[in-house]
Amino acid sequence: MRLIIKIKPNQLLIPFDHQHLLVGSIHKWLGWNKIHDNISLYSFSRLDGGKAINSGLKFEHGTSFFFSSHETGLIKSIIEGVQRDPFMFSGLFVSDIIIQENPDLTNRELFFLGSPILIKRQNGNKVEHIMYDNPHAGEYLKKTLLLKMQTKGMFDESFSVDFYLSYPKAGTKKINYNGIGNRVNWCPVFIRGSEETKLFAWNVGLGNSTGIGFGAIK
């Protein structure tokens, strides 16, 4: 299930590196202490429609983002959290929440991104960030999704996940999160498999660190 969270227009300048602030709002609404030790079975997009001005973004006409989860309890927690405290950060306030039911993904394979995909693997004493054109990138995405599926008693190894390598706007970007630089992927993906598996990915996201704003798919 997915929530479209709409935010009032704001004349204040929002810093470009605001992902940790958005994460803080999400965790406040969820009751972060209850879930921080678990695998994240949710994902959320970036703020949409900002206008870049000097060192930040303005949302003069308002903005929105989506929050998705495989677990209806987390959806309920977000709604209740927003009702208790609609303030986010830097003058941003939630104005409305729209509930979007799971779509029919039977005949769909191509998914665009709501937030960039992060793939990381331990390589000795270093953490390696995997790029979309790495020949093993799709395998890493599949393994991470399988791990999440298994926590919910789902077992399906027949699906595949692959980056859309010929997409003309595919690329990478470095995003700082709490002082750590992450090289992330802006590239659509193909998910080929059962509708149940595609819906699970649509809700929980792909790759690592979906709980802090990476890997949401549209």
Side-chain angles (χ1 to χ4, degrees):
M1 186 178 291
R2 176 164 292 182
L3 299 176
I4 309 299
I5 300 175
K6 295 193 172 184
I7 301 164
K8 296 178 181 179
N10 184 3
Q11 300 301 317
L12 298 179
L13 197 63
I14 309 300
F16 288 123
D17 289 337
H18 63 264
Q19 185 166 326
H20 65 291
L21 300 173
L22 180 57
V23 171
S25 296
I26 294 289
H27 291 172
K28 174 184 70 173
W29 295 329
L30 286 176
W32 177 231
N33 290 334
K34 299 177 183 178
I35 62 169
H36 73 281
D37 289 330
N38 300 326
I39 293 176
S40 297
L41 295 177
Y42 64 91
S43 61
F44 55 94
S45 69
R46 308 184 83 189
L47 297 177
D48 185 49
K51 181 179 180 181
I53 300 176
N54 297 324
S55 59
L57 296 167
K58 272 195 175 182
F59 297 99
E60 297 175 342
H61 303 290
T63 182
S64 66
F65 70 100
F66 66 77
F67 175 93
S68 298
S69 179
H70 177 73
E71 300 186 325
T72 56
L74 293 184
I75 295 291
K76 182 179 178 181
S77 292
I78 289 287
I79 295 173
E80 292 175 347
V82 171
Q83 289 173 338
R84 285 193 306 269
D85 183 4
F87 176 72
M88 296 178 61
F89 57 89
S90 301
L92 297 178
F93 282 85
V94 176
S95 60
D96 195 14
I97 299 177
I98 299 172
I99 299 175
Q100 181 181 355
E101 298 293 341
N102 289 336
D104 182 356
L105 300 178
T106 305
N107 298 314
R108 184 174 163 195
E109 294 183 342
L110 178 61
F111 296 84
F112 289 86
L113 305 188
S115 59
I117 292 175
L118 172 64
I119 309 173
K120 57 183 181 180
R121 288 294 184 272
Q122 193 72 34
N123 185 3
N125 295 324
K126 296 169 57 178
V127 175
E128 181 181 2
H129 292 164
I130 309 299
M131 301 298 96
Y132 68 94
D133 55 358
N134 184 301
H136 301 292
E139 298 172 23
Y140 294 140
L141 291 179
K142 179 175 179 176
K143 287 180 180 178
T144 302
L145 189 61
L146 276 172
L147 179 62
K148 292 188 176 187
M149 292 171 68
Q150 289 165 6
T151 67
K152 305 309 296 182
M154 298 171 63
F155 300 94
D156 174 18
E157 296 193 6
S158 63
F159 72 94
S160 65
V161 186
D162 300 286
F163 281 106
Y164 181 10
L165 296 180
S166 59
Y167 183 66
K169 296 182 180 179
T172 68
K173 183 178 181 180
K174 187 176 182 180
I175 292 182
N176 292 315
Y177 185 83
N178 285 345
I180 299 175
N182 297 281
R183 179 62 63 175
V184 297
N185 300 284
W186 277 108
C187 182
V189 295
F190 290 103
I191 305 176
R192 299 178 175 92
S194 69
E195 183 184 22
E196 182 183 26
T197 295
K198 288 185 283 188
L199 275 175
F200 187 80
W202 188 80
N203 279 316
V204 306
L206 293 172
N208 298 102
S209 301
T210 62
I212 59 170
F214 295 109
I217 60 175
K218 297 179 180 179

